[in-house]
Amino acid sequence: MLRTITKRSRFTIARSRRLSSAAASKDIFNVEVTSDGIAVIRMDDPSAKVNTLNEEFQKQVRPMIEKIQNDDNVRAAVLLSGNKNNYIAGADIKMIEGCETREDVMKIVREGHEMMNKLERGKPIVAAINGQCLGGGLEVALACTYRIASTGPKTTMGLPEVMLGLLPGAGGT
């Protein structure tokens, strides 16, 4: 199923124009706009084995979404992972462990809500899921306009944070 979205004939990279640069080795998002106005967004966190919702993700996702929503050449977007067996494994629990006050936790939750609201509004975004799509990653997929998932054995979806005693904090409820 995922192949129909990423087939080269549909998304010709040679004819696409870059929306943002992935020149810096710390960039999580690589965005290319095809000649037919589809923004292909590849997430791949070079500093981790799997994509997670961490501080760097939060810093980079907002301006990336705003660029797509404000670019008149973009009609819609596809959000997929550059990591073969992982879409988004969820939120980085270390962010919560680093919180000292209730307000610190609430700040993270509010930022998560803002990100999800930006994904939900504006141009259609398709979540092309392959691999683990857990916790906050599933919430990101749910915030997208449409979702499509591969039938691969590594593709799983769920909200495992409930096993830690946490409610899904970014809209998954």
Side-chain angles (χ1 to χ4, degrees), residues 49 90 108 143:
K49 272 179 123 170
I108 292 171

Side-chain angles (χ1 to χ4, degrees), residues 28 34 40 46-47 52 60 81-82 91 103 115-116 118 127 129 132-133 146 149 151 157:
I28 294 172
T34 66
V40 179
S47 65
T52 59
Q60 293 183 30
S81 177
E103 188 53 40
M115 176 187 64
M116 299 304 173
K118 285 183 185 283
I129 304 163
Q132 296 176 339
C133 181
Y146 304 101
T151 57
M157 294 179 221

Side-chain angles (χ1 to χ4, degrees), residues 93 134-136 139 158-170:
I93 297 299
L134 302 171
E139 292 178 288
L159 299 167
E161 61 268 38
V162 297
M163 301 303 285
L164 300 173
L166 300 171
L167 289 175

Side-chain angles (χ1 to χ4, degrees), residues 39-165:
V40 179
I41 308 162
R42 282 188 179 75
M43 301 174 288
D44 193 3
D45 188 344
S47 65
K49 272 179 123 170
V50 296
N51 294 321
T52 59
L53 303 179
N54 56 29
E55 264 186 79
E56 195 57 36
F57 185 98
Q58 282 290 89
K59 284 183 204 171
Q60 293 183 30
V61 73
R62 279 189 220 127
M64 183 270 304
I65 294 169
E66 287 171 6
K67 282 182 185 178
I68 288 168
Q69 297 295 355
N70 295 324
D71 189 330
D72 292 335
N73 295 310
V74 173
R75 296 182 307 125
V78 177
L79 180 62
L80 53 95
S81 177
N83 188 312
K84 189 166 76 171
N85 295 316
N86 167 255
Y87 185 70
I88 303 173
D92 185 351
I93 297 299
K94 292 176 189 164
M95 286 174 47
I96 296 171
E97 289 173 352
C99 294
E100 294 181 14
T101 66
R102 178 183 185 283
E103 188 53 40
D104 293 343
V105 174
M106 292 309 296
K107 181 178 183 259
I108 292 171
V109 171
R110 278 191 298 276
E111 288 173 355
H113 284 202
E114 287 174 26
M115 176 187 64
M116 299 304 173
N117 288 337
K118 285 183 185 283
L119 281 172
E120 287 178 345
R121 296 185 181 123
K123 297 173 185 170
I125 299 176
V126 177
I129 304 163
N130 185 49
Q132 296 176 339
C133 181
L134 302 171
L138 180 56
E139 292 178 288
V140 167
L142 290 171
C144 291
T145 314
Y146 304 101
R147 287 143 298 283
I148 185 169
S150 75
T151 57
K154 304 250 180 180
T155 299
T156 57
M157 294 179 221
L159 299 167
E161 61 268 38
V162 297
M163 301 303 285
L164 300 173

